[in-house]
Amino acid sequence: MGFIGQWLRNRRLRKYRSSIPTGFVPLSGMKKATVILDAEDPTWEECRKEAEDFFRARGIATDFIYTDFRKFSNGIKPVTEASRTLFRKDIRCFGLPRMKKVRPMLDGQTDLLLSFSTCSDFIMEFVTKSIKARFRIGRCPFPGEPFDMMVVPVAQAEKEPEEPVEQAPQTEVFQTVADFLPKIK
């Protein structure tokens, strides 16, 4: 990536970045949660159901965004709602997101953003930094540390940064978050 690409990315982030102050918010103070799920992970449906049940039991509305950056063919088909899913075709030159697709996802305000996507590309950095959320939890680090809390599996935390790491299923990460959220007062 050259200077021009980096300049365009920084410009897009400055324009759309959320200016809402973030911090730990108790479940009793939440009305809406946005969950970003990785549709490439085979446990995405189970994780969605667990998240729906968890937030419905507490009277919190839940919105889902999916990521699916696989190359589709006859054997591999999209499995999620197209209007709520970020695909490879939604990435423009220099890794910039297609705003026609992303802008509706950024509208509105949410109390909690849970990002379970393991993608560290600019499109995910842009989405996580641009969603207007009061409390952010993620599992993939980005420059500027947009998350209030990072969930890193123990096996990943103990390895050297250069070593390849097997990612934990989204359901395990959600269970960790679900165990922690009620403890916030």
Side-chain angles (χ1 to χ4, degrees):
M1 168 91 45
F3 170 75
I4 293 173
Q6 194 59 44
W7 181 79
L8 288 170
R9 286 179 171 191
N10 291 338
R11 183 173 174 222
R12 179 78 52 95
L13 265 176
R14 274 193 310 273
K15 183 175 181 179
Y16 290 99
R17 186 178 200 129
S18 173
S19 60
I20 295 174
T22 64
F24 285 70
V25 177
L27 280 172
S28 60
M30 294 182 193
K31 291 183 175 38
K32 183 178 179 188
T34 301
V35 181
I36 300 174
L37 294 174
D38 186 356
E40 297 174 48
D41 186 330
T43 64
W44 75 269
E45 288 179 286
E46 184 181 340
C47 187
R48 178 192 167 108
K49 181 164 180 12
E50 287 180 18
E52 281 179 333
D53 294 344
F54 178 82
F55 290 118
R56 185 179 302 127
R58 289 155 179 81
I60 300 171
T62 312
D63 186 25
F64 291 94
I65 298 173
Y66 306 97
T67 62
D68 199 344
F69 298 117
R70 295 178 289 185
K71 190 169 190 170
F72 297 117
S73 64
N74 290 340
I76 301 172
K77 303 275 187 215
V79 292
T80 56
E81 181 184 345
S83 65
R84 303 299 301 164
T85 306
L86 296 170
F87 297 109
R88 289 176 75 186
K89 67 179 183 177
D90 297 322
I91 301 172
R92 298 292 214 183
C93 293
F94 304 112
L96 296 172
R98 179 181 285 168
M99 291 310 294
K100 183 178 183 181
K101 178 73 172 258
V102 174
R103 196 173 283 122
M105 296 176 186
L106 305 178
D107 289 342
Q109 193 169 351
T110 186
D111 296 309
L112 175 64
L113 171 65
L114 294 173
S115 178
F116 295 130
S117 177
T118 57
C119 177
S120 61
D121 294 339
F122 178 74
I123 190 166
M124 287 310 302
E125 177 183 356
F126 177 80
V127 169
T128 56
K129 288 181 177 181
S130 300
I131 290 178
K132 297 167 186 70
R134 294 176 31 208
F135 182 25
R136 299 168 187 265
I137 300 174
R139 67 186 282 193
C140 187
F142 294 116
E145 301 177 11
F147 298 114
D148 300 311
M149 185 174 107
M150 290 283 299
V151 178
V152 181
V154 175
Q156 186 175 347
E158 293 174 350
K159 292 194 177 194
E160 294 296 320
E162 299 86 34
E163 293 182 49
V165 177
E166 184 178 320
Q167 296 292 335
Q170 294 176 113
T171 51
E172 284 182 27
V173 177
F174 179 74
Q175 283 304 317
T176 302
V177 171
D179 291 343
F180 177 76
L181 285 175
K183 296 175 184 175
I184 300 172
K185 299 293 178 196

